[in-house]
Amino acid sequence: MKAGQLKRRVLLQGGSIALLLGVHEIARGATIVAVRVWPAADYTRVTIESDGRLHSQQLVVGSPPRLAVDIDGIDLNPALRELVGKIKPDDPFINGLRVGQFAPSVVRIVFDLKQSVAPQVFSLAPVAAYQHRLVLDLYPQQALDPLEALIAERLRDAPKAPGRDGTVAGIAPRTPAPPAVDPLGELMAQQSMRPSPSSPPAQALVVPAPLPPVAGTTPVTPLPPPSSATARNGGATASGTDRIIIVALDPGHGGEDPGAIGPNGTREKDIVLQVAHRLRDRINGSSVNGNPMRAFLTRDADFFVPLGTRVQKARRVQADLFVSIHADAFTTPEARGASVFALSQTGASSSAARWLANKENQADKVGGVNVGTHEVQVQRALLDMSTTAQINDSLKLGGAMLGEIRGIGARLHKPQVEQAGFAVLKAPDIPSVLVETAFISNPEEEAKLRSVEYQENLADALMRGIQRYFAQNPPLARSRQL
C-alpha cells in the first residue's frame, strides 16, 4: 500500500472515531476561562465561561437550602476556584459555595443558600467577546411584587405615628391636622382586592429606597390635556390627580452585557446607571400638581435585564412614562452628539437610527436570555401592540427632552426626535423614549460622560423635559386593571 493511501485511511478512521464519541467525551477538552457573579435583589447570576460547551446537572436540597451543580467533562482549574472568592457577603441568595473534583472529569459546585431559590441553568453559544457560557440564574421562590414594594416604601416615607397621649417622642402635642390624602390608597385597595400575581421571577422589580428631595426641582402646574392624551385614557379628562406619578427609568445593558465601551475603557452600562441614579433623585424630590413623583428603575445595580422584562416591569407598575438611558457608539470616533428616539411602527427615520436599533436589540443575545423559559410568541404579540397615540405622546416627550438637552449646551446628533423599531420602547400604553446621552466611542464625549458635572447637567435637563411634558400632558386617572 502506498504511503499516501495509508495516511488517508488513518485520517478517515480518526474521523469515524470522532463521530462515534459521545457529548461528554468531546466536552472533556473544555477549559474554564472565566467566572463571574452578578448579585441583585431580582436574582443572582453565576456565569462560567469556557472554550467549549459545558454540560451540567443540578440538584436542589431543601433544608438547609443548597444547590449542587455537577459539570461534566472538565477538571478543576484555578479559574473555577476563583468562584469562591467572588461571593459577596450581601448577596441576597448565596451564603457561600464549595467547589471540588467530584469524580474524574466531573466538577461539583455546592451553593449554600440564604433562601429557597428557583434556579434556571442554561447554555449560551459564543457571541460578541464571549466564548461558551454556562449560566446559573438563582431566582427567589416568591417573586417580588412591585406594588407591594411601592406600598412599603410609601409607608416608610410616612411621618411617625403619635403615641397614646397624642405626642411623638420629644415633641409637644398640638392641634391635630386633618389626615392627608394618601396617593397610594387606591393602590393599596387594589392590592387587597386582587389575588397575588403569578408572574415569573424574571418580572420582579427592584424598588429604589426613598431619597431626600433635591434642590432646584419645582412642582409643575398642569394645563388642560391635549386630545392624544385624552384618547389614550379612554376619553377621560382631569385637572389633577390624587396618586403617585410613576416614571420608569431604564439604564441600558448591565451585568453580562457591558454595552458600548469607550476608547479609554469606559463602559456604557456604568455611565447610564450613574445618570439614572441622578435622575431618580430629582424625580423623587418633585411633584406634579402637588402629587409626588416616584422613579422606578428597571435595574438599580449591575445586573442584566432582558429587553422584554424591562417593558413588563414598567407596565406592571403602570408607569406614566418610560425613559431608557444609553450612551451611543459608532464604528468611527468622529460621531458625536446626544439623540432622543421614539418607536416607529413603519420604518426607521434614518439609516443610522435603523443601525442603532438593530444593535440595541441584540442586547438579549449578549446579556444572555434563557429562551426556554420565555414565551416568545406571547412576548412578541405584546410588543406589537404599540398604538399611534402612544407613539405620538412619545414624540412629544422626546421633543421636550431634546429641547432641554440643547439648552445645557450639549451638542445634538440630530435636531429632531428620531424613530426606529427599538424593542425596549414597545410598551403599548406608556409614552416611551430612548435617550442616547452622547457618543461614548468619541474620546471627548467619553470624557464628558465620566464627568460628574455633565451627568448632573444632563439629569437636570431630562428632569425639566419630563416636567415640560407633564405641563402639556397631565397624567390622568390610572386604569384599575393590573
Side-chain angles (χ1 to χ4, degrees):
M1 184 180 294
K2 295 181 179 180
Q5 291 176 327
L6 178 61
K7 184 177 181 181
R8 182 171 180 273
R9 176 175 293 181
V10 171
L11 289 173
L12 289 172
Q13 288 175 343
S16 300
I17 292 172
L19 289 173
L20 292 173
L21 286 174
V23 172
H24 299 297
E25 285 80 4
I26 294 175
R28 279 185 180 151
T31 301
I32 307 300
V33 297
V35 293
R36 294 176 291 276
V37 181
W38 309 99
D42 284 37
Y43 71 107
T44 288
R45 167 168 288 191
V46 177
T47 305
I48 301 173
E49 186 178 358
S50 63
D51 59 3
R53 184 175 179 179
L54 300 177
H55 298 267
S56 66
Q57 303 177 53
Q58 56 274 349
L59 174 67
V60 178
V61 180
S63 183
R66 283 167 291 163
L67 171 66
V69 179
D70 289 342
I71 305 175
D72 298 331
I74 65 170
D75 295 319
L76 189 60
N77 71 349
L80 199 50
R81 291 182 187 275
E82 290 179 7
L83 258 181
V84 177
K86 290 182 179 289
I87 304 303
K88 299 179 180 179
D90 59 350
D91 189 303
F93 303 99
I94 304 175
N95 193 43
L97 65 81
R98 292 156 281 156
V99 58
Q101 196 75 44
F102 179 66
S105 297
V106 178
V107 169
R108 170 166 287 186
I109 305 173
V110 178
F111 296 87
D112 297 312
L113 304 172
K114 295 179 179 178
Q115 59 175 290
S116 298
V117 299
Q120 295 182 14
V121 182
F122 56 97
S123 297
L124 296 172
V127 63
Y130 294 118
Q131 300 187 54
H132 294 270
R133 285 176 289 172
L134 179 66
V135 178
L136 295 83
D137 286 346
L138 307 183
Y139 288 100
Q141 285 281 6
Q142 182 65 41
L144 298 175
D145 187 296
L147 284 181
E148 290 182 358
L150 175 64
I151 293 168
E153 179 184 354
R154 183 64 179 174
L155 292 176
R156 286 196 302 270
D157 288 345
K160 186 175 291 186
R164 292 182 180 179
D165 58 353
T167 65
V168 178
I171 300 178
R174 63 178 183 176
T175 305
V181 176
D182 183 1
L184 275 183
E186 182 179 345
L187 291 180
M188 296 175 73
Q190 291 177 12
Q191 189 76 358
S192 63
M193 294 173 63
R194 65 182 179 85
S196 298
S198 55
S199 304
Q203 298 183 20
L205 178 69
V206 177
V207 180
L211 293 164
V214 176
T217 55
T218 56
V220 175
T221 303
L223 300 176
S227 57
S228 63
T230 302
R232 187 179 73 241
N233 289 274
T237 59
S239 59
T241 57
D242 287 326
R243 62 172 178 85
I244 281 183
I245 309 305
I246 301 171
V247 179
L249 301 180
D250 176 51
H253 309 281
E256 288 288 286
D257 177 17
I261 299 178
N264 290 310
T266 307
R267 300 181 301 185
E268 178 182 6
K269 66 174 183 177
D270 300 328
I271 294 298
V272 298
L273 184 60
Q274 292 166 12
V275 173
H277 281 163
R278 297 182 193 282
L279 182 54
R280 176 186 66 182
D281 294 352
R282 287 154 174 76
I283 291 172
N284 287 351
S286 301
S287 62
V288 174
N289 195 32
N291 296 284
M293 299 179 71
R294 181 63 62 181
F296 280 82
L297 271 66
T298 57
R299 69 176 182 96
D300 69 345
D302 187 11
F303 64 100
F304 174 70
V305 182
L307 296 175
T309 302
R310 296 169 187 263
V311 177
Q312 292 165 3
K313 286 183 174 186
R315 298 189 77 232
R316 184 69 186 85
V317 298
Q318 296 191 7
D320 296 285
L321 299 179
F322 179 91
V323 181
S324 191
I325 304 173
H326 292 256
D328 209 347
F330 199 62
T331 53
T332 61
E334 287 77 22
R336 59 192 303 160
S339 306
V340 179
F341 295 84
L343 184 66
S344 171
Q345 285 183 310
T346 53
S349 56
S350 69
S351 57
R354 183 183 305 108
W355 179 87
L356 180 62
N358 290 336
K359 183 171 70 73
E360 296 293 0
N361 291 346
Q362 298 296 311
D364 280 355
K365 292 184 179 180
V366 179
V369 172
N370 184 6
V371 178
T373 64
H374 284 67
E375 300 177 15
V376 179
Q377 297 299 328
V378 174
Q379 286 197 7
R380 185 175 294 125
L382 170 67
L383 297 182
D384 286 341
M385 289 166 50
S386 296
T387 65
T388 301
Q390 182 258 4
I391 293 176
N392 287 339
D393 287 339
S394 300
L395 290 170
K396 294 175 184 177
L397 172 62
M401 287 185 161
L402 204 59
E404 293 297 336
I405 293 173
R406 183 188 294 110
I408 63 171
R411 178 167 179 165
L412 299 182
H413 186 63
K414 287 290 179 68
Q416 70 280 340
V417 179
E418 294 204 79
Q419 292 180 260
F422 291 90
V424 79
L425 298 183
K426 295 184 178 181
D429 42 10
I430 307 172
S432 305
V433 295
L434 185 146
V435 180
E436 293 286 0
T437 53
F439 275 87
I440 200 170
S441 52
N442 180 291
E444 293 181 13
E445 297 208 335
E446 178 189 20
K448 281 172 49 179
L449 288 169
R450 296 170 65 103
S451 161
V452 172
E453 181 182 6
Y454 181 76
Q455 290 186 16
E456 292 282 347
N457 290 339
L458 183 62
D460 285 336
L462 296 178
M463 184 68 228
R464 287 193 298 268
I466 292 172
Q467 291 175 319
R468 274 184 58 190
Y469 172 81
F470 277 132
Q472 301 296 325
N473 304 270
L476 304 181
R478 183 175 279 123
S479 167
R480 290 179 179 272
Q481 263 218 305
L482 301 177

